[in-house]
Amino acid sequence: MRLLLVEDDVMVASGIKLGLSDAGYAVDWVGSAERALEVTQTESFDVAVVDIGLPLMDGLALTHALRKNGHSMPVLILTARDALQDRVQGLDMGADDYMVKPFELPELLARLRALLRRSQAATSATLSFGPLELDTAQRQACIRSASGSAQPIELGPREWTVMEYLLLQAPKPANKDKLLQALTGWDKEITPNAVEVYISRLRGKLEPHGIALRSIRGFGYRLELLTS
């Protein structure tokens, strides 16, 4: 998943970015609301984490501007303000969630997972398609048999990102360009051919269990169950 972090404190931003990157997010960081509005005109993000105390335009005004510009991605507000009025104002401006500093990384990750599930109409931390199950909280993948036994599937970090994105979109197809953006941020380069490599690896792991990864020419990929 690709995340936009809007935070003007370099040390705080570095710590958050490191923790989110280790959790599998492709994180792009900007230090101002103005820069955030600029990049969201041309780039696509799955979720945004926005600090309220930004210079010039604050995080609340940024969130309101994003909604006014038609962006529907979930927005999680970070702030040192703990007053009820501040929380209410943030939610009324279009934020989806609100966290008070200081906070623990596991809670931030859990809230982000919940926001992403909500945005994709998923109701559980476990995503499934046929016998395939992906536990996004524990970062474990398995094939569940009819008897209930689970066979683990080993996934590399980028294979996990691709699989999670495909499952969040299923049964609809996943757009290849958006999948590419979910894999990388500004500081990394991944070519469309590299995406094909990860798709090929996943096919080899899924097809023996009756799950196909179909290519849709000019668009992307879709998970399908193989018929016997």
Side-chain angles (χ1 to χ4, degrees), residues 65-190:
L66 288 172
R67 296 302 184 228
K68 188 176 180 180
N69 291 345
H71 295 289
S72 59
M73 62 182 173
V75 175
L76 188 151
I77 292 286
L78 298 178
T79 180
R81 308 173 190 171
D82 193 23
L84 174 61
Q85 182 179 353
D86 293 322
R87 297 198 299 271
V88 170
Q89 185 180 10
L91 296 172
D92 284 344
M93 285 287 194
D96 298 274
D97 202 355
Y98 196 105
M99 285 192 69
V100 177
K101 298 177 180 178
F103 56 85
E104 297 293 335
L105 181 63
E107 182 181 1
L108 174 60
L109 293 173
R111 287 177 180 265
L112 289 173
R113 289 193 297 268
L115 289 176
L116 289 167
R117 290 198 304 271
R118 195 181 311 158
S119 69
Q120 300 292 336
T123 58
S124 169
T126 300
L127 305 175
S128 62
F129 186 84
L132 173 64
E133 291 186 1
L134 212 66
D135 186 331
T136 60
Q138 300 297 322
R139 293 187 68 82
Q140 295 176 346
C142 72
I143 296 294
R144 184 76 60 181
S145 69
S147 64
S149 62
Q151 177 183 338
I153 299 177
E154 295 297 326
L155 298 175
R158 285 178 174 163
E159 290 175 341
W160 176 277
T161 299
V162 173
M163 186 77 85
E164 182 180 20
Y165 192 83
L166 289 167
L167 281 167
L168 283 169
Q169 299 300 311
K172 298 182 294 183
N175 182 277
K176 186 175 182 179
D177 290 337
K178 290 187 177 180
L179 179 55
L180 184 62
Q181 291 186 10
L183 281 167
T184 185
W186 298 318
D187 55 346
K188 297 177 183 176
E189 290 293 335
I190 295 181

Side-chain angles (χ1 to χ4, degrees), residues 2-28:
R2 190 180 185 193
L3 183 146
L4 177 64
L5 173 62
V6 190
E7 168 63 67
D8 65 317
D9 187 307
V10 176
M11 291 190 65
V12 172
S14 298
I16 294 175
K17 183 176 181 180
L18 178 61
L20 294 176
S21 297
D22 287 345
Y25 290 92
V27 182
D28 291 317

